[in-house]
Amino acid sequence: MKNSAPIRVFLVEDSLVALTILKRILASSPEVDVVGTAPNGVEALERIPAAQPQVICTDLHMPKMDGLELTRRIMADYPRPILVISTSVNTQEDSRNVFKLLQAGALDVFPKPNIDSLSDYEHIKHELINRIKVLAGVTVFTRHTSRAAVEPRMHSVSPKSKPELFSPKPVSNSQFPIRNSPFSLPKVVAIGASTGGPQALYAILKQLPANFPVPILCVQHISEGFLQGLVDWLAAECFLRVTIAQPGEFPKPGTVYFAPERQHLQLDTQGRFITISTPAVSGHRPSVTALFQAVATCYPRSAVGILLTGMGRDGADGLQAIAQAGGTTIAQDEQTCVVFGMPKEAIALGAAQHILAIGEIAPMLLNRIFSYRLG
């Protein structure tokens, strides 16, 4: 078999140390070719057209033009898959800014390498090269949007403002037929996602009202150090409360819970959260399948499972468990997935009762849950 040409990568990084490490990592793989570098967004825009990269890696904080403005310009003028390589930060403002790049069109985030040992180097090398290989196969499209349209809409949840509520009206199930018994009242929503997941979660959660009457449990595959930033960003963008699940806590309506980093999210016999560090499932910890299986056990016939964009097959077996327990299962369709891996595997198993575009998932949830409560 003839070897394919290496993936053409362009690096935008103002730190000489970080740039040197990144170039060394990528040079170790015959599947990747660094075709250009720039210390800021201004010079990157000058050099990218001639370099014709397949993937662009950019930092967030840079002089002259930062990663956010660069991402906007790239997506408007010559769209390419963009990987954000940034230090995982603890301040809410910087955390949100990292995810604003995803909102502007970047596809994924990765921690800036800080090599402390040989084992760290090998792990980072493997993860970064795999991430670039995944993104190289993604097709992105030009975004003809104004800055105002790209900037996040901030929804305050302080006592001084009233969050938007959903006023239920009689609805028909003709658009979203329900296979389960009409007596099966949904009590929980479980969502799993990987590559492209933050954008997909945003698309769903921003449509849900503050009085959404069931809890939402999520597993998002994301590089270590970025989970809190994802939570902060979604909390600022959505009407729902967004947090990281705590052991011993009962899931509450109107709240979105994420599995903690490096731990599976489970439920005990009373329905309280437990977090465990057992081995990875389908190569991941936290695992979507581990959460879905726990939900299927704790909420038979009353769970909604949703499997979103992502590489691999994590979540497919778990979605099947929810379906077999009598719950409702949804897979994101191929056209709106960044990577149609996890949903495709679930569909192949026959685990997905509904295959929906990302924009159709929240309306179905509102239809299904509020229609039951209307009787």
Side-chain angles (χ1 to χ4, degrees):
M1 180 182 296
K2 184 178 179 180
N3 292 331
S4 59
I7 300 165
R8 299 169 61 84
V9 177
F10 194 99
L11 302 175
V12 191
E13 172 59 64
D14 64 322
S15 165
L16 184 58
V17 172
L19 182 62
T20 300
I21 294 173
L22 288 171
K23 289 172 68 176
R24 187 175 72 187
I25 288 172
L26 299 183
S28 69
S29 172
E31 298 176 280
V32 177
D33 182 18
V34 177
V35 295
T37 67
N40 56 66
V42 172
E43 294 184 39
L45 290 174
E46 294 172 353
R47 300 171 187 175
I48 286 172
Q52 287 296 302
Q54 293 167 267
V55 177
I56 297 169
C57 301
T58 183
D59 191 9
L60 169 62
H61 294 295
M62 297 179 292
K64 297 184 180 179
M65 181 187 292
D66 64 11
L68 180 57
E69 182 61 25
L70 174 63
T71 296
R72 290 176 176 142
R73 295 280 293 275
I74 289 171
M75 296 307 296
D77 297 335
Y78 25 79
R80 299 285 191 280
I82 298 172
L83 175 64
V84 181
I85 299 181
S86 180
T87 304
S88 56
V89 289
N90 296 321
T91 67
Q92 283 193 340
E93 182 178 357
D94 278 352
S95 295
R96 291 174 188 169
N97 284 338
V98 167
F99 288 91
K100 286 180 185 178
L101 271 74
L102 300 190
Q103 194 172 354
L107 295 183
D108 208 351
V109 295
F110 192 83
K112 188 175 291 189
N114 181 14
I115 310 301
D116 295 322
S117 68
L118 181 60
S119 61
D120 288 342
Y121 177 81
E122 290 301 320
H123 174 73
I124 290 170
K125 180 177 76 171
H126 174 77
E127 289 295 319
L128 179 57
I129 291 171
N130 277 352
R131 201 72 59 93
I132 287 173
K133 288 164 66 176
V134 169
L135 296 186
V138 175
T139 300
V140 295
F141 300 95
T142 303
R143 291 194 176 190
H144 295 292
T145 55
S146 65
R147 178 175 298 190
V150 174
E151 284 289 345
R153 295 174 300 137
M154 306 298 284
H155 299 308
S156 174
V157 293
S158 68
K160 296 181 181 180
S161 64
K162 292 184 178 180
E164 183 176 304
L165 300 179
F166 179 75
S167 299
K169 301 176 182 178
V171 292
S172 167
N173 289 326
S174 60
Q175 183 181 2
F176 303 115
I178 298 169
R179 296 189 181 187
N180 299 333
S181 161
F183 302 105
S184 176
L185 175 67
K187 296 179 181 177
V188 68
V189 175
I191 305 178
S194 187
T195 307
Q199 301 95 316
L201 286 164
Y202 167 80
I204 294 171
L205 298 178
K206 72 175 182 178
Q207 298 184 64
L208 302 181
N211 64 336
F212 192 70
V214 302
I216 300 174
L217 317 184
C218 299
V219 167
Q220 166 67 54
H221 300 160
I222 195 165
S223 296
E224 188 172 343
F226 288 101
L227 178 62
Q228 187 62 56
L230 173 64
V231 167
D232 292 341
W233 173 62
L234 289 173
E237 294 297 311
C238 304
F239 295 115
L240 299 167
R241 176 174 175 256
V242 187
T243 188
I244 297 173
Q246 300 299 317
E249 185 179 10
F250 283 103
K252 297 176 182 177
T255 304
V256 181
Y257 298 93
F258 279 87
E261 292 181 334
R262 296 185 293 175
Q263 292 184 301
H264 296 305
L265 182 60
Q266 308 269 268
L267 296 158
D268 66 16
T269 56
Q270 303 300 313
R272 293 171 296 200
F273 288 128
I274 54 175
T275 57
I276 55 177
S277 299
T278 51
V281 177
S282 298
H284 295 280
R285 191 180 68 207
S287 161
V288 179
T289 282
L291 172 64
F292 282 4
Q293 289 175 339
V295 165
T297 299
C298 192
Y299 296 92
R301 297 178 56 79
S302 60
V304 179
I306 304 172
L307 192 56
L308 303 176
T309 173
M311 176 66 76
R313 70 178 319 277
D314 186 28
D317 295 329
L319 201 70
Q320 187 175 50
I322 291 176
Q324 290 174 343
T328 300
T329 56
I330 303 168
Q332 186 179 351
D333 70 354
E334 183 174 7
Q335 289 71 29
T336 60
C337 278
V338 170
V339 180
F340 189 54
M342 289 158 38
K344 181 179 180 181
E345 294 290 339
I347 293 167
L349 281 179
Q353 298 164 356
H354 307 274
I355 303 169
L356 300 178
I358 191 64
E360 297 175 336
I361 294 175
M364 180 177 179
L365 289 177
L366 295 171
N367 174 296
R368 180 161 174 71
I369 291 174
F370 280 104
S371 66
Y372 275 123
R373 293 184 178 262
L374 287 169

